[in-house]
Amino acid sequence: MADMMTTVRQRRVGKVTEGTEEQPSEEKSVKPEGKILSDHTGGKLWNILSITVGGIVAISLGLLTSVYVATLHENDLWFSNIKEVEREISFRTECGLYYSYYKQMIQAASIQQGIVNCKQYLEPVYFYIYTLFGLQAVYVIALYVTSWLLSGTWLSGLLAACWYITNRIDTTRVEFTIPLRENWALPFFAVQIAAITYLLRANLQPARQKLTFMAVFIATFLFSLTWQFNQFMMLIQALALFVLDCFDLLPTAKVTWLYIIQISGLLLVCVLQFFNSMILGSLLISFNASVLIARTIQKNLKKGPLLNRLGKLILHVLLVLCLTLLMNKFIKKILNLESDEHIFKFLKAKFGFGATRDFDANLYLCEEAFGLLPLNTFSRLSDTLLFYIYVFVLLFMTVTAVIVAFRNLSGSNQVQLIEKMGECTIILKPDAAYNLVHTVLFGCLALSTMRMKYLWTSHMCVFASFGLCSTEVWKLVLKCIHLYTPQRMCMMKYSIPVITLLYISYKFWPGIMDELSELREFYDPDTVELMNWIKSNTPNTAVFAGSMQLLAGVKLCTGRTLTNHPHYEDKNLRERTKQIYQIYAKRSPEDVYRILRSFGTDYVILEDSICYERRHSRGCRLRDLLDVANGHIMDGLGENEPDLKPSTYPRFCEEIKKNLPSYTTHFIRVFQNKTFHVYKLAKHK
């Protein structure tokens, strides 16, 4: 009877641990020592070969992506053949502002004598754009490596890179907005995510762990240095770490160091940006500091039964939230910070917490880029199978995370998921857990704000390819449907990604070739004429007023002084821009003249595309935003708020063209074409 019970017990244990590596029994023959050594050597050589091949593929794909976007840029503008002024005009809106600082730097005598004198080898503009296209190679390699680290096979990285390229419309816009700060920053953010993914591996050697922490810090610092929205992106990242730490899905010590790295990176950027006060008032610094303080106040957060832990967890969240708000308000009060108030007004209005007449907030609300993610995005992503696979992997990993989080909170380390068709143990590795919460939070951000979709769609490629090539995912899926064998798992892990790659190649390769063969040319004669006139007919010290977007080009192409420009993270500059924009409002010529002269304006540029704008609907045209902010009713048919009143003056940008005495006394037209009108301000005693 005892022997029979032992036999039954052994059979049950075998069923629970199904799928694990079979342990050699005493009855089985033992492999000779030489054979084991030979297998070990063979496995090591295979790993080296796999890493070498995977690395070569990663670098090759990165370089190919760089060449691909550079070719698209050349074909779209015929960049190599157009004049310098046309090249500079092609850097639209704030892109021109950012490039102008580079141009200013290379024209400085001290810099030319130093490290940036590349003119004898390459035109400065090409050095600039090739650097950015080169960063795209870094971006793709980082995505490739992250997927490889998560899945354990470089096939996953290959699939991630191919998805990134074939979904280019939704994963990057570098080829037509080259100097944008996000194009400098996102490659470093991808490197940081890859480094964090490696850092969260179990049993990492101390030396490798230190090097990885250093890599995370450098990538975090470079990301923070190159993008003004870095603090908001890293706040989302910090929230991901906080959630995972609360549910005991990440090692607390590593999470603590990541909080410290984020704070250190931001503070270093603050110093290098001449003590940028906006950084000190960021929610990220307040949140990370609050989490670290709350931990010292609350002890034994991860001990006790389920209900006890849930209660302590709720208190912990409330404590962190209160500390964050109090600390942030205190810092902003002490330093008198208002640089980012327009962002919070925008968010408040966007999510329905009250309408606003604030000009800056409405300027964001009316831009399509800051609206909800269009539904046609998902149809494009579905064409490459990316969205379908992503949703499958996301749902699967979310269920896994919920089970593991519940198990951790309940304090049981041996809970097993029992399905109708079989039994298996659910596990969730820390690196996979981080990337899961990362993609969920950045997905929510992208759904709410279209401009931020590039942070999500690129990671979507990584996450979907990881799930499709993951041993753990296929193992659990096959066990749940009672079809698991190591051979089937291996077959699914490699065959499905290969079939997906073949489908993508078959469907999209012809389109990519057609795209590369399509040739266009830059054509904007009115703007070229304006810039040439300014350079030839105005003094170098002349001060120009106009729209933010146009003035960025004026600064780049002519070097003239501006009254305002697209850098919108400064309250004084925002207020100045609103005042300058009164040229498109219903104001008297005397008021407009007084405003412009208060900023030292010599010339003002009026644009018909703004004065008679039709791109936006009524209520979102620039002139409508100004009318509402000034308390005036809007033009055209439609409703107005009850307290708005008619203006006693006509619209300035329309009336000035009639050359009435009240206008010509203050403004003299000196240039005109089909798009632009330039007026010189009279200098009265």
Side-chain angles (χ1 to χ4, degrees):
M1 178 67 70
D3 291 340
M4 186 181 294
M5 290 178 66
T6 302
T7 303
V8 171
R9 186 172 183 271
Q10 287 173 345
R11 287 176 180 171
R12 286 178 178 171
V13 171
K15 189 175 182 182
V16 169
T17 59
E18 180 185 359
T20 59
E21 291 184 18
E22 189 176 17
Q23 301 297 323
S25 64
E26 294 180 0
E27 297 178 0
K28 293 187 177 181
S29 60
V30 180
K31 291 184 178 180
E33 186 177 346
K35 178 66 173 175
I36 295 174
L37 183 61
S38 175
D39 290 347
H40 175 73
T41 304
K44 190 173 182 181
L45 289 173
W46 175 254
N47 286 337
I48 293 173
L49 179 63
S50 177
I51 290 172
T52 303
V53 173
I56 292 172
V57 172
I59 294 171
S60 301
L61 281 171
L63 293 175
L64 283 172
T65 304
S66 179
V67 172
Y68 174 52
V69 293
T71 304
L72 291 176
H73 175 258
E74 169 64 23
N75 291 354
D76 189 49
L77 300 173
W78 203 5
F79 199 75
S80 61
N81 192 62
I82 58 180
K83 299 175 183 178
E84 182 180 5
V85 66
E86 293 174 311
R87 290 176 178 176
E88 292 175 346
I89 291 171
S90 71
F91 298 142
R92 300 287 187 180
T93 63
E94 67 262 41
C95 298
L97 176 68
Y98 306 145
Y99 180 76
S100 71
Y101 295 117
Y102 164 76
K103 181 181 177 182
Q104 181 178 338
M105 181 182 71
I106 63 170
Q107 289 178 344
S110 59
I111 297 296
Q112 283 186 340
Q113 294 166 3
I115 62 172
V116 192
N117 187 12
C118 59
K119 289 184 178 179
Q120 55 183 323
Y121 307 108
L122 192 68
E123 290 183 69
V125 68
Y126 276 105
F127 177 80
Y128 184 90
I129 66 174
Y130 285 167
T131 299
L132 270 160
F133 291 146
L135 281 175
Q136 280 296 297
V138 175
Y139 197 1
V140 171
I141 291 171
L143 298 176
Y144 181 107
V145 169
T146 304
S147 186
W148 186 358
L149 289 171
L150 287 168
S151 66
T153 172
W154 58 262
L155 181 63
S156 173
L158 174 61
L159 183 56
C162 289
W163 265 330
Y164 178 85
I165 295 169
T166 52
N167 291 283
R168 177 183 55 81
I169 293 175
D170 294 300
T171 55
T172 183
R173 51 177 178 163
V174 67
E175 75 274 13
F176 62 90
T177 57
I178 298 174
L180 276 188
R181 286 176 282 185
E182 68 187 51
N183 294 330
W184 292 95
L186 293 187
F188 299 122
F189 194 48
V191 171
Q192 187 225 40
I193 294 169
I196 290 176
T197 300
Y198 184 75
L199 177 69
L200 294 176
R201 285 187 159 193
N203 304 319
L204 205 59
Q205 294 177 0
R208 290 187 177 183
Q209 184 167 297
K210 289 179 182 178
L211 287 173
T212 309
F213 272 125
M214 182 61 68
V216 173
F217 173 77
I218 293 172
T220 301
F221 165 70
L222 292 173
F223 171 65
S224 303
L225 189 65
T226 48
W227 199 20
Q228 78 275 27
F229 290 136
N230 65 80
Q231 54 178 291
F232 302 104
M233 303 307 108
M234 289 200 295
L235 176 62
I236 294 174
Q237 191 176 56
L239 288 171
L241 295 171
F242 179 71
V243 169
L244 291 165
D245 186 36
C246 286
F247 290 104
D248 209 10
L249 294 171
L250 294 183
T252 299
K254 290 182 178 180
V255 172
T256 301
W257 275 110
L258 289 174
Y259 286 143
I260 294 171
I261 284 173
Q262 286 187 329
I263 294 175
S264 304
L266 269 188
L267 292 178
L268 182 56
V269 170
C270 176
V271 172
L272 292 178
Q273 291 183 348
F274 307 100
F275 296 94
N276 183 351
S277 58
M278 182 178 174
I279 293 176
L280 296 176
S282 67
L283 275 174
L284 175 66
I285 290 180
S286 301
F287 177 78
N288 286 9
S290 298
V291 173
L292 297 176
I293 292 170
R295 279 186 185 170
T296 61
I297 296 174
Q298 287 183 287
K299 303 294 184 181
N300 302 321
L301 274 173
K302 298 181 180 180
K303 294 182 180 179
L306 177 61
L307 292 178
N308 190 3
R309 286 192 65 174
L310 284 174
K312 288 192 288 187
L313 187 59
I314 292 171
L315 285 175
H316 182 64
V317 171
L318 291 174
L319 178 61
V320 169
L321 181 62
C322 293
L323 281 174
T324 300
L325 296 176
L326 288 173
M327 188 180 300
N328 190 255
K329 189 171 183 179
F330 176 75
I331 292 173
K332 288 185 175 180
K333 188 74 173 178
I334 293 296
L335 299 178
N336 192 28
L337 300 179
E338 298 177 311
S339 299
D340 56 358
E341 65 175 5
H342 65 297
I343 297 176
F344 294 104
K345 288 179 180 178
F346 158 71
L347 292 174
K348 182 180 177 182
K350 181 178 178 66
F351 295 110
F353 295 105
T356 179
R357 289 185 181 177
D358 183 76
F359 174 76
D360 302 316
N362 283 327
L363 205 58
Y364 280 108
L365 285 170
C366 286
E367 282 299 320
E368 184 183 4
F370 292 93
L372 299 177
L373 188 67
L375 293 178
N376 61 8
T377 305
F378 301 107
S379 63
R380 289 194 300 269
L381 295 173
S382 299
D383 287 341
T384 61
L385 303 181
L386 172 59
F387 186 65
Y388 297 130
I389 295 172
Y390 174 79
V391 170
F392 164 73
V393 176
L394 181 63
L395 291 175
F396 184 87
M397 295 298 293
T398 301
V399 172
T400 301
V402 170
I403 293 170
V404 174
F406 178 78
R407 182 178 68 197
N408 291 344
L409 287 177
S410 64
S412 172
N413 294 322
Q414 302 296 328
V415 175
Q416 291 150 349
L417 176 69
I418 302 176
E419 300 286 349
K420 295 179 180 179
M421 306 293 292
E423 302 178 6
C424 52
T425 302
I426 303 292
I427 60 170
L428 183 64
K429 294 180 180 178
D431 53 358
Y434 168 76
N435 279 275
L436 169 65
V437 179
H438 179 103
T439 198
V440 168
L441 293 182
F442 279 94
C444 294
L445 177 66
L447 291 172
S448 65
T449 308
M450 186 184 74
R451 186 176 176 181
M452 299 303 169
K453 72 175 180 179
Y454 303 104
L455 289 153
W456 181 45
T457 49
S458 58
H459 192 266
M460 184 188 290
C461 301
V462 170
F463 197 73
S465 61
F466 144 65
L468 209 59
C469 300
S470 171
T471 300
E472 290 79 10
V473 169
W474 284 116
K475 196 175 192 179
L476 197 54
V477 168
L478 292 173
K479 281 188 175 183
C480 289
I481 59 177
H482 204 57
L483 290 175
Y484 173 77
T485 64
Q487 294 78 16
R488 283 177 184 157
M489 184 272 295
C490 193
M491 181 187 71
M492 298 296 288
K493 175 181 175 179
Y494 292 108
S495 62
I496 300 298
V498 168
I499 292 171
T500 305
L501 282 168
L502 291 174
Y503 168 79
I504 293 172
S505 302
Y506 173 77
K507 184 170 183 179
F508 293 96
W509 182 257
I512 290 174
M513 291 297 101
D514 291 341
E515 191 177 35
L516 289 172
S517 64
E518 187 175 351
L519 302 178
R520 299 188 184 92
E521 183 179 356
F522 175 84
Y523 185 75
D524 189 357
D526 289 349
T527 307
V528 171
E529 183 186 12
L530 172 66
M531 299 305 172
N532 287 333
W533 181 87
I534 291 174
K535 286 195 288 186
S536 303
N537 296 278
T538 64
N540 293 335
T541 56
V543 179
F544 279 79
S547 69
M548 295 184 289
Q549 296 82 356
L550 179 63
L551 289 186
V554 171
K555 175 177 172 57
L556 171 58
C557 298
T558 70
R560 301 301 188 263
T561 304
L562 313 178
T563 56
N564 56 306
H565 58 66
H567 184 72
Y568 222 56
E569 283 73 51
D570 180 84
K571 184 182 180 182
N572 292 330
L573 192 55
R574 290 197 301 270
E575 183 58 35
R576 175 181 288 213
T577 297
K578 180 183 174 182
Q579 290 299 312
I580 295 293
Y581 277 9
Q582 297 304 312
I583 59 178
Y584 296 109
K586 297 172 182 176
R587 299 290 293 267
S588 69
E590 292 77 18
D591 283 349
V592 174
Y593 178 83
R594 177 181 50 80
I595 291 170
L596 294 176
R597 287 303 299 164
S598 69
F599 297 122
T601 307
D602 297 314
Y603 297 87
V604 59
I605 307 174
L606 296 175
E607 301 169 63
D608 287 346
S609 59
I610 297 178
C611 191
Y612 306 107
E613 181 188 0
R614 295 180 180 178
R615 184 169 69 93
H616 291 101
S617 60
R618 183 178 184 270
C620 269
R621 299 169 298 189
L622 179 63
R623 61 181 186 267
D624 296 334
L625 302 183
L626 291 165
D627 289 343
V628 171
N630 293 339
H632 300 152
I633 61 172
M634 297 180 286
D635 292 339
L637 299 175
E639 296 182 357
N640 290 282
E641 294 185 28
D643 59 330
L644 296 180
K645 299 177 180 178
S647 172
T648 55
Y649 300 101
R651 195 166 304 281
F652 177 84
C653 63
E654 297 176 357
E655 201 70 10
I656 192 174
K657 295 169 187 174
K658 298 178 181 179
N659 292 324
L660 299 174
S662 57
Y663 289 83
T664 56
T665 302
H666 306 293
F667 302 95
I668 305 165
R669 185 161 59 198
V670 291
F671 174 84
Q672 177 184 3
N673 64 20
K674 291 185 294 183
T675 305
F676 304 105
H677 303 262
V678 181
Y679 292 86
K680 184 177 181 179
L681 274 70
K683 293 186 178 180
H684 303 308
K685 292 183 180 181

